[in-house]
Amino acid sequence: MSDHTPPSAATARPVPAVGVVCLRDDEVLLIRRAKPPRAGEWSLPGGHIEFGEPVAVAALRELHEETGVRGRIIGLIEVVDAITAGPPAGHFLLVDFAVEWLDGEPMTGDDALEAAFVPLDRLAEFELWSETRRIIEAGVRLRDTTPPGGR
């Protein structure tokens, strides 16, 4: 198989990745993606998990690399299958975490064209994937039901 031949179903494997719902008061951090899949679309910060890297460490690393923001994990929201038809086609397992903002103002990093904290009541103005919107809502519920000492 050459480098340009897509993998067959027998050789293709899901790619583990992280997503971060970073909350600051009544705002969530969004990025506009610079690379496929969903290049140019607004989404959550996140990316690939490096070999040997604990998943929560990957979430905080990706948050900082993409946006310059630092946070603290509140908890695991959910694992989401993101299967894209392409190009390029792919299957990503997104391990999504709720994160409390600690410091830093959003700036673009390695995989983001734009980064901004967006008021939760303005999310309808952004064309978000339905799963992204659902995960943000779940992250807010997790934050609102987790006692400060339980974080």
Side-chain angles (χ1 to χ4, degrees):
M1 171 162 53
S2 75
D3 290 338
H4 301 338
T5 305
S8 70
T11 60
R13 299 284 183 262
V15 177
V18 291
V20 177
V21 177
C22 183
L23 299 164
R24 180 175 74 179
D25 300 320
D26 289 329
E27 298 175 313
V28 64
L29 183 59
L30 295 180
I31 57 120
R32 196 158 60 87
R33 297 181 55 83
K35 299 177 183 176
R38 302 184 182 278
E41 294 182 20
W42 286 94
S43 187
L44 296 169
H48 295 284
I49 301 166
E50 295 177 1
F51 182 80
E53 182 179 39
V55 68
V57 171
L60 295 176
R61 175 187 53 76
E62 283 288 343
L63 173 66
H64 188 255
E65 285 179 4
E66 281 194 348
T67 68
V69 167
R70 294 194 188 277
R72 174 179 26 243
I73 300 281
I74 297 169
L76 174 67
I77 300 170
E78 187 175 328
V79 177
V80 174
D81 286 292
I83 301 170
T84 60
H91 181 179
F92 299 89
L93 294 176
L94 302 173
V95 182
D96 289 313
F97 287 94
V99 170
E100 176 183 28
W101 171 84
L102 292 178
D103 62 56
E105 288 302 317
M107 58 185 178
T108 57
D110 59 352
D111 289 337
L113 297 172
E114 295 180 63
F117 275 105
V118 174
L120 292 168
D121 63 2
R122 291 189 52 214
L123 284 178
E125 298 172 24
F126 293 79
E127 293 183 26
L128 298 175
W129 180 35
S130 60
E131 281 295 279
T132 300
R133 187 167 314 213
R134 187 180 68 77
I135 290 299
I136 291 170
E137 292 167 359
V140 171
R141 281 193 306 275
L142 181 61
R143 179 206 48 197
D144 292 348
T145 59
T146 302
R151 292 182 187 169

